[in-house]
Amino acid sequence: MNRIDRLFTEKKERILSIYMTAGYPGLEDTVPVIKALQESGADMIELGMPFSDPLADGEVIQQSSHAALVNGMNISLLFEQIAGVRQEVHLPIVLMGYLNPVLQFGFENFTKKCREVGIDGLILPDLPLKIYEEAYRKTVEEAGLKFIMLITPQTSEERIRKIAGASGGFLYMVADSSTTGARAGIKDTQLEYFARIEKMKLGIPRLIGFGISNSETFHLVCKHASGAIIGSAFLKALGKENGKATGEKVKNFVRSILD
Amino acid sequence: MKNNNSYKVDSNGFYGPYGGAFIPEMLYPNIRELEEQYMEIIYSDAFQEEYRGLLKDFVGRPTPLYHAKRLSAHFHANIFLKREDLNHTGAHKINNTVGQIILARHLGKHRIIAETGAGQHGVATATVCALAGLECIVYMGALDVERQAPNVRKMQMLGAEVRPVQSGNKTLKDATNEAIRDWINNPVDTHYIIGSVVGPHPYPDMVTRFQSVISEEMKSQLQEKTGRDYPDYLLACVGGGSNAAGAYYHYMDDLRVKLVSVEAAGLGVESGQSAATTTLGRDGIIHGSRTLLMQDADGQITEPYSISAGLDYPGVGPIHAWLNRSGRAEVVNVTDQQALEAAFLLTRLEGIIPALETAHALAALEQLDLKEDHNVVINLSGRGDKDMDAYSAHLPGEKKKFTTD
Ligand SMILES: Cc1ncc(COP(=O)(O)O)c(C=O)c1O
């Protein structure tokens, strides 16, 4: 069974998925951070593949992507790092990134490598639904990967149903009309949106991400979905310094969210 | 308008393999709204009446087609200049912003955002926002804020807020990223006036249509001046490619017309310091469009360079990727130095100071095999006021030399 499916079968609430940028803060930090996340009780890992022009991302992820590229991170290296650690890590790992580097790697080649090293899912926000279905869905599914799609507060009900039908593993609910990044609190309009989607009975688990930054917002959004995704706040907690006490910082952060 | 043009966008938003809308879901409702409505709105009688009226009385169209006699004698051919530099605000950019501001009002948007490189599109956007009484925010790379200071002051005087962008190379690509992020964060009340034939469908097609007034006028003007409504050569500089797309539009299927697209080679195509996108680019995705893109082996977008802020873009509009790859348009590369020399040549022969972007198109004349009876049209996309610092630094007779590779 795909590790994402297993997670959602075994755990129905308060799932914590952490986004991290591969190769950040140091090139060799990817693996220790993944291990520390597992040890600290995170449920799933979203590994960001850095891109030069991350136009759906706020400042924190922009900066981590830039730093990771300067560190020398690329897709081939990332596959090597994951292959090296996969036996010790049982958490689902999802790769998240922009389409262009994947196309240059070669889409089929990419999905084949994903399968080889034990990747469970993909999030490619700038690969739109229609083109995914026409040109890529078959390749993704043949490699046993879940293709996770996004909805936002602006997505129409009709389109939400379409996306939920095509999405694999879980549905990624973007919490607000925004780029990634932490902000203060959760607004009432967001809670209404969460409740509206909950009532649609989509038949696919939902995680809420973008702007979730602390224990309070995590537990609040968990009332309306199986769990949440935290990115920018985690990267901030890691700090910019290469290799230093990363394990400790990871544990403290995860504890601060779950407690 | 007729729809029998094979180089036009198809019903899925593609030009051959190029174009499309590779956008995150956050932008989908905005792009979808535009896609569903733009054709109906811009060809409605009410829109056309207002658009045509403003082009005439506010922008100052039609722009002249000027027979440049001394330039013609210099190159031994009949050279005509399509004077987009004489438009209000000094470039072709305003043809598009006038159209988009009327569209924004039809869509009920009251906050306008734009990106700008040379500042011409920023000024043209700030101008129409003042005209329409709408809030205006312009994203501009911090480097461009420095090198095009007069345009920054104009935008501010017009009431726009200019936000310097510090990411990446601090030029046009980064300003565009930031404008797109703004739109993601303000999806309901905001219209993004993109400044060239780039970005996700329907922008490339919509901007092309707004700029197509250039070739529409050119046809009747050539008929009157030469007895034929088409030229042998049609030249334009290509940054994103909007002035070129507008100049080509009504000639794309007329194979008697040789289309010549001029790109900025910076310090030289092979120097690692250029913006020669079509020559150096491979298929890729930038700002929601599949096109030719300057990128490294890992698919990271590389930083372009040109002396001209308006040509400093690592991609090119999908229509141009297709015109080039299908063999319809020829691409010529022009270096910083060749462009500077061409700007001085035009100034001394015709008394017209061109924009640095436009100077690239002029420099391409050196590379064509011209004959005495050839009719050549150059789209004179803009005037050089904004570039006076760069020009003064290279005034012939001064000690300062042109940059060379
Ligand atoms: C005068 C002038 N010409 C040309 C360009 C390049 O843009 P495009 O290729 O879209 O015409 C610019 C851009 O700023 C410009 O200001």
Side-chain angles (χ1 to χ4, degrees), chain A residues 50-58 62 69 73-74 99-101 103-104 125-128 130-131 136 150-152 154-155 159 163 174 177-179 183 210, chain B residues 12 14 21-29 167 173-174 177-178 180-181 184-188 282-285 287-288 290 293 295-301:
Chain A
F51 181 48
S52 54
D53 294 78
L55 49 75
D57 285 302
Q62 284 175 47
L69 290 174
M73 183 41 75
N74 62 39
L99 185 55
N100 196 54
L103 291 181
Q104 299 311 314
D126 59 346
L127 176 51
K130 184 158 177 266
I131 295 182
Y136 298 104
L150 276 52
I151 64 166
T152 83
Q154 304 298 324
T155 313
R159 187 165 167 86
I163 292 175
V174 177
S177 304
S178 70
T179 45
R183 72 215 79 222
F210 283 40
Chain B
N12 292 317
F14 282 86
F22 294 84
I23 46 162
E25 193 59 31
M26 292 78 103
L27 286 176
Y28 182 85
S167 57
K173 163 179 82 89
D174 314 295
N177 288 340
E178 217 42 50
I180 292 174
R181 289 185 188 116
I184 289 174
N185 284 289
N186 298 282
V188 179
R282 285 177 289 118
D283 289 8
I285 289 170
H287 299 140
R290 189 203 293 271
L293 176 61
Q295 55 186 318
D296 68 14
D298 294 330
Q300 308 296 343
I301 299 175

Side-chain angles (χ1 to χ4, degrees), chain A residues 46-83:
Chain A
E46 277 172 43
L47 257 177
M49 304 177 282
F51 181 48
S52 54
D53 294 78
L55 49 75
D57 285 302
E59 234 164 86
V60 174
I61 295 181
Q62 284 175 47
Q63 277 164 11
S64 69
S65 299
H66 180 74
L69 290 174
V70 172
N71 289 342
M73 183 41 75
N74 62 39
I75 292 178
S76 310
L77 191 57
L78 179 58
F79 281 136
E80 280 174 34
Q81 292 183 339
I82 299 167

Side-chain angles (χ1 to χ4, degrees), chain A residues 9-31:
Chain A
T9 309
E10 289 170 359
K11 193 166 176 181
K12 306 283 184 200
E13 52 183 22
R14 283 196 287 281
I15 288 176
L16 174 63
S17 180
I18 295 283
Y19 169 94
M20 57 182 280
T21 302
Y24 179 82
L27 187 61
E28 300 303 334
D29 284 330
T30 318
V31 168

